[in-house]
């Protein structure tokens, strides 16, 4: 089963239906998806906002953040084996996370730490990557600097706070009063 779209549009275009079970090619694994994250990029692609630059062959299975267990391994895969618990950020050009089984390039997947559950793992890849890119790739944050994080209790914000502290930066964080407990 998968949640797919057959045309761009609003949420009514999402259809839960039978889908072919994927088989891994060289360097790929098939992950039995336990959790698929939902991010703004999903509805933006579904709505057709990126047409002309990011087009999908229909029917398309969206979803780019997943957590699950490796179900099958393609030739050339060396880090992962059947049964491994993994989380992954799937390529925006491919997607496929809103399904029971998803194709994952070995380089897209990371082993899940034992203390991490599937729900938290499935919500991690895109938000943590966005925070990393903002802090380190764009802002070039270094130890001893100060960073202001607006919306620090949100998906990207809470990773930005943790990553900045890990780097040794001073963090000034803002969040709504009802979310302040998450920023500490």
């Amino acid at each position: 089963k998968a949640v797919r779209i057959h045309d761009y549009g609003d949420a009514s275009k999402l259809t839960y239906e039978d889908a072919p079970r994927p088989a891994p090619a060289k360097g790929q694994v098939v992950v039995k998806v336990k959790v698929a994250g939902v991010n703004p990029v999903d509805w933006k692609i579904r709505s057709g906002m990126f047409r002309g630059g990011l087009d999908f062959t229909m029917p398309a299975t969206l979803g780019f953040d997943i957590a699950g267990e490796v179900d099958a391994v393609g030739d050339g895969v060396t880090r992962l084996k059947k049964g491994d618990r993994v989380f992954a950020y799937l390529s925006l050009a491919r997607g496929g996370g809103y399904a029971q089984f998803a194709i994952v390039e070995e380089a897209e997947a990371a082993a899940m730490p034992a203390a991490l559950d599937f729900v938290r793992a499935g919500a991690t890849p895109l938000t943590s990557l966005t925070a990393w890119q903002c802090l380190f790739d764009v802002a070039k944050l270094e130890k001893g600097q100060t960073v202001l994080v607006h919306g620090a209790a949100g998906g990207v914000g809470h990773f930005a706070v943790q990553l900045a502290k890990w780097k040794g930066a001073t963090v000034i964080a803002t969040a709504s009063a009802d979310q302040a407990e998450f920023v500490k």
Side-chain angles (χ1 to χ4, degrees):
K1 295 286 189 180
V3 175
R4 304 194 301 178
I5 59 172
H6 292 263
D7 192 14
Y8 295 103
D10 63 19
S12 70
K13 298 293 185 178
L14 295 167
T15 307
Y16 180 68
E17 61 190 22
D18 291 329
R21 186 174 177 148
K26 184 175 181 176
Q28 296 179 332
V29 298
V30 174
V31 172
K32 183 174 184 176
V33 178
K34 302 284 188 180
V35 173
V38 179
N39 294 290
V41 71
D42 297 297
W43 72 259
K44 290 175 181 177
I45 290 172
R46 186 202 66 233
S47 73
M49 187 180 290
F50 299 129
R51 287 177 89 173
L54 189 60
D55 295 314
F56 284 82
T57 302
M58 301 296 170
T61 305
L62 302 179
F64 307 95
D65 280 355
I66 65 165
E69 294 176 351
V70 174
D71 186 69
V73 177
D75 290 339
V77 172
T78 58
R79 283 188 309 111
L80 304 171
K81 65 185 182 317
K82 185 174 174 133
D84 284 350
R85 294 172 6 120
V86 297
F87 60 126
Y89 174 61
L90 308 179
S91 166
L92 282 179
R94 188 181 70 255
Y98 294 169
Q100 285 181 302
F101 298 93
I103 290 288
V104 178
E105 298 290 335
E106 184 178 23
E108 294 171 336
M112 281 177 49
L116 190 61
D117 62 57
F118 287 113
V119 172
R120 286 174 180 80
T124 296
L126 182 61
T127 52
S128 60
L129 177 61
T130 301
W132 181 277
Q133 290 172 328
C134 291
L135 291 172
F136 305 122
D137 296 346
V138 175
K140 308 291 186 210
L141 184 66
E142 295 180 12
K143 183 179 180 174
Q145 291 182 311
T146 299
V147 63
L148 171 63
V149 180
H150 286 293
V156 174
H158 85 284
F159 280 112
V161 169
Q162 294 174 71
L163 289 169
K165 287 182 176 182
W166 166 79
K167 185 67 172 182
T170 299
V171 177
I172 301 170
T174 67
S176 62
D178 62 328
Q179 296 176 333
E181 67 189 71
F182 298 107
V183 179
K184 295 176 183 167

